[in-house]
Amino acid sequence: MGIYIYQAGYHPAILMYHQITEENAKTSALVVDPFYFEKQMQFLKEHHYNVLPLEEFIAQLKTRKRLPFKTVTLTLDDGNLDNYTNAYPILKKYNLPATIFLVTNWIEKPHFLTWKQIQEMEQNNIRFGNHTLHHAHLPSLSFEEAKKEIIENKIVLNTHLQHPLPIVCYPFGGYTVSIQNFLKENGYLAALATSSDGFSALDDLYALRRVRISKSSNSLFIFWIETSGYYGWIRQMQKKLKKWKKSWKKS
Ligand SMILES: [Zn+2]
């Protein structure tokens, strides 16, 4: 038929983590307690999820064939030190691949990763992508400055890593069409945004949406929904329901 119809709302999830630490795990939406992180990784393993490295996940999305059910990929943003001290031992224990997005200006600073740790992780299934030089909100910059944030970060990654990923993760999820076009024209494979609203992995390879894992995901039932591939579809339905309810009240 030529036209490919993606199976009824199924969009395999790109999971988004930031910090994995006990500190602030109860208050910050960007922190997951290592105890629950381990429960989540164990859940993926025990339930035979297809946990793909990000580059493979993207390569498969590009073929536009349906990815198997229970496919997910793991990402962690910012390069916090706890990614090495807390997340990495757990990922290694369950033999799961993950991608960490680095802000190279933060590397070697207190509470962030060192190059030695990064290189060790790279030997063991962890890949690293581009999160700009200064964690810049790209739409607030001139196009030239935005490009510089991406290009210069890439140069630093290339000098320290064996397999840096040509994948950008937009800080704060911020991007513009010209930045997307720049990435498309310059050999980047894809780019990741943040929001899970209207999540559709196939919408746009240069603004792939992710599912944020936060303390509500401590419940494995919630985590199961978030990793199901139907989370975005459920969120959209919830929104529609809200709208309908409002319009009924008005009429
Ligand atoms: Zn970030």
Side-chain angles (χ1 to χ4, degrees), residues 68-242:
F69 286 113
K70 301 210 287 192
T71 295
V72 295
T73 186
L74 307 171
T75 67
L76 298 102
D77 288 9
D78 303 342
N80 289 285
L81 179 60
D82 58 56
N83 290 185
Y84 177 79
T85 51
N86 296 336
Y88 173 55
I90 297 168
L91 291 166
K92 217 158 86 175
K93 179 174 168 188
Y94 294 96
N95 194 24
L96 293 170
T99 301
I100 299 176
F101 284 94
L102 295 172
V103 176
T104 52
N105 193 49
W106 288 350
I107 296 171
E108 305 279 350
K109 294 212 168 131
H111 312 295
F112 289 95
L113 295 167
T114 67
W115 284 115
K116 196 165 171 274
Q117 293 162 341
I118 292 166
Q119 284 156 353
E120 183 195 328
M121 289 192 277
E122 202 189 29
Q123 302 297 318
N124 290 285
N125 252 347
I126 310 295
R127 289 289 173 268
F128 297 88
N130 189 334
H131 203 32
T132 77
L133 199 54
H134 298 98
H135 204 266
H137 182 246
L138 299 173
S140 306
L141 301 179
S142 71
F143 181 50
E144 285 310 309
E145 284 171 322
K147 277 199 298 193
K148 212 173 140 192
E149 278 288 333
I150 296 166
I151 296 168
E152 290 192 2
N153 200 52
K154 173 182 156 183
I155 293 170
V156 182
L157 292 175
N158 285 352
T159 48
H160 288 88
L161 297 175
Q162 282 182 320
H163 316 280
L165 294 181
I167 299 173
V168 169
C169 169
Y170 304 120
F172 315 103
Y175 62 92
T176 63
V177 173
S178 19
I179 291 164
Q180 288 183 298
N181 288 337
F182 164 74
L183 297 177
K184 273 179 220 174
E185 288 155 12
N186 286 277
Y188 292 86
L189 285 179
L192 308 186
T194 49
S195 160
S196 57
D197 282 349
F199 171 82
S200 165
L202 280 181
D203 268 359
D204 189 344
L205 267 178
Y206 291 85
L208 291 172
R209 294 178 191 261
R210 294 184 287 168
V211 177
R212 178 198 283 156
I213 304 301
S214 59
K215 65 174 183 295
S216 60
S217 327
N218 289 351
S219 145
L220 284 178
F221 176 71
I222 302 284
F223 187 71
W224 172 66
I225 293 173
E226 287 169 334
T227 54
S228 66
Y230 290 96
Y231 182 63
W233 182 80
I234 291 167
R235 288 283 294 260
Q236 280 179 335
M237 287 301 130
Q238 280 176 331
K239 272 192 173 175
K240 274 186 190 159
L241 270 177
K242 258 191 196 166

